[in-house]
Amino acid sequence: MAFPHPQPMTSYWLSAAADLANHRTTESLPTEADVVIIGSGFSGSAAAYFLATQSRTGNVKCPSTVILEARQVCSGATGRNGGHMKPDTYYSAAEAYRNYGPKVADELIQFETQQMFDVKRLVDAERIDCDFEMTRAFDVFTDQQTADSVLQTHEEMKSKGFSFPDDLHVITDPKRAEQISGVRGAKAALSFTAGSVWPYKMVTHLLRRSIEEGVNLQTTTPVQQILGNKADGRWTVKTNRGNIVAKKIIMASNAYTAALFPEFKEKIVPVRGVVCRISVPEGTGKRAPHLNNTYALRFNPEHFDYLISRSDGSIVVGGADRCAVEKQDYWYGNTDDSQLIPETEKYFTRYMQRMFNGWEDSKAHITDIWSGIMGWSSDSMPFVGKLPGKPGIFITAGFTGHGMPRILGCSKALVELVQSDGETIDMNTKNGIPTPYLLTEARLEDKTNNIISYARNVTSNLKSRL
Ligand SMILES: Cc1cc2nc3c(=O)[nH]c(=O)nc-3n(C[C@H](O)[C@H](O)[C@H](O)COP(=O)(O)OP(=O)(O)OC[C@H]3O[C@@H](n4cnc5c(N)ncnc54)[C@H](O)[C@@H]3O)c2cc1C
């Protein structure tokens, strides 16, 4: 399993060029720590922030904490994503209902919905300058068959007594769906509260706050190996700049977790995706309608693009999975974020003109395009908790391209576990997480890999439509 590529492409978000990009709090690597966090994305930074600030508010000393980041700060998925913070309020509900029953299906929806408000509260409390906006997400279906099947399932679940959030608004009339969403050829639309954010700015703020509280951040320091120390139960974290001996380790390395803990091979799989920024050039006198919402354009059950609108009028759009899915090497198990997936740039060219009414003459064009590596989990749920059989190793990873409305709560719950020395995350506390997220032996041993079956589904659906 591969480590992060040493020379990734840059992304629009990384253009914020934070002072922390190459930060090393101390010139040399500390040799000991209470906690080592591996990864400086949203997961690792939120964990550091909670460790540092909760210790302070609880009047306990912040454990000596070192964050090790393989590349520049926040240069993994968090610095390269679509900036879309969108709870899954309905789309996966039927599958969750089937797999886990109605109570857990509801837990999953409630957790993600609450995350939106928790992120908002954090941004407000910390006054984080990160372009956070609370908007509505429009899920727009451009294929009648897919729309019918999703809406029918939605009705069936309701008739069985399942309650979707009151916030979910359904538009079934194609004319209204197109008029309200602005998406050409819309057949149906569902909308609900969501958000958008400049993820890199949010995360670097959390890191800066953690450093103020005593956390030591070391960038461009890839962890090569983690070895158990039988004599005192501590762990030796090996890097090319020296070793750190630590009592506890938080793995926030998402797609790359299996490189250090092979039990995650086929459990958290690196999956490459592409995102771009589109804007109308200045000085041409051309304009385009400002989109007040965020979007997912759903073309069939498997394929969708997602986009956010920024206050400068530009659009950040990700997806284009139709360019990759049939060629498994382009995406599955691929950690090369130094290159795009072939054909994606072509796909996003004149994207807004093709998809949205009112953009036809806008001259909107791609200003930035980049790739990033997601950590897809074999059952699409993140793994959060203690690593079975390895006391002192804690994991929060495997967000399956959908981390923004999940990570804050997962890092918070994990930090509580780290601090309490408890056995597992108590689901019934204020900071509980949905049961399917828990890292258990059973999940690690399960050989099912939904990612491959998803790919097979997509391929056969594509062929049957040709
Ligand atoms: C192209 C793309 C688009 C996406 N769009 C969205 C979206 O719009 N909305 C959404 O909700 N989610 C989206 N996601 C998913 C989201 O970005 C992730 O779920 C989230 O950022 C994961 O955060 P993380 O901190 O767990 O992982 P990451 O941000 O990937 O951080 C992991 C860090 O660990 C470091 N690391 C790994 N191995 C080592 C090692 N051995 N030593 C030291 N450091 C190491 C990496 O360099 C990296 O910085 C997208 C992802 C991608 C790639």
Side-chain angles (χ1 to χ4, degrees), residues 269-272 328-337 372-373:
V269 176
V271 164
R272 186 164 59 161
Q328 205 169 298
D329 293 353
Y330 284 174
W331 61 282
Y332 187 89
N334 192 319
T335 50
D336 185 1
D337 52 5
I373 310 300

Side-chain angles (χ1 to χ4, degrees), residues 46-217:
Y49 172 83
F50 287 127
L51 269 177
T53 55
Q54 284 182 1
S55 299
R56 187 164 57 87
T57 49
N59 259 343
V60 255
K61 204 172 146 269
C62 170
S64 65
T65 306
V66 180
I67 308 176
L68 298 176
E69 167 53 55
R71 310 192 293 198
Q72 288 194 324
V73 86
C74 190
S75 54
T78 310
R80 337 175 66 78
N81 69 21
H84 202 175
M85 192 164 286
K86 174 184 154 178
D88 187 345
T89 44
Y90 78 98
Y91 195 73
S92 308
E95 197 184 338
Y97 190 102
R98 256 193 324 274
N99 291 344
Y100 311 109
K103 184 170 170 288
V104 172
D106 182 60
E107 236 176 54
L108 289 162
I109 293 175
Q110 298 300 336
F111 179 78
E112 290 197 16
T113 304
Q114 184 55 42
Q115 292 299 298
M116 283 289 314
F117 298 104
D118 289 349
V119 170
K120 177 181 168 1
R121 197 173 299 118
L122 176 73
V123 168
D124 288 349
E126 283 283 345
R127 296 172 187 270
I128 308 181
D129 173 15
C130 62
D131 295 1
F132 179 83
E133 298 293 348
M134 203 161 233
T135 69
R136 286 191 75 76
F138 266 76
D139 263 24
V140 181
F141 291 82
T142 59
D143 171 58
Q144 191 67 56
Q145 206 182 325
T146 311
D148 289 346
S149 125
V150 168
L151 293 171
Q152 192 188 333
T153 310
H154 178 249
E155 285 306 318
E156 277 167 16
M157 286 178 71
K158 283 204 301 186
S159 71
K160 285 187 199 156
F162 189 81
S163 296
F164 288 93
D166 290 341
D167 187 39
L168 181 67
H169 177 59
V170 183
I171 304 172
T172 51
D173 173 35
K175 241 190 184 162
R176 268 182 63 214
E178 177 159 346
Q179 174 66 27
I180 290 172
S181 71
V183 174
R184 292 168 143 209
K187 302 290 184 253
L190 289 91
S191 78
F192 43 95
T193 303
S196 61
V197 67
W198 189 309
Y200 183 74
K201 288 188 180 178
M202 181 173 71
V203 161
T204 45
H205 181 104
L206 297 180
L207 286 169
R208 230 173 268 117
R209 286 282 292 109
S210 307
I211 293 166
E212 279 167 21
E213 298 287 343
V215 170
N216 187 319
L217 167 65

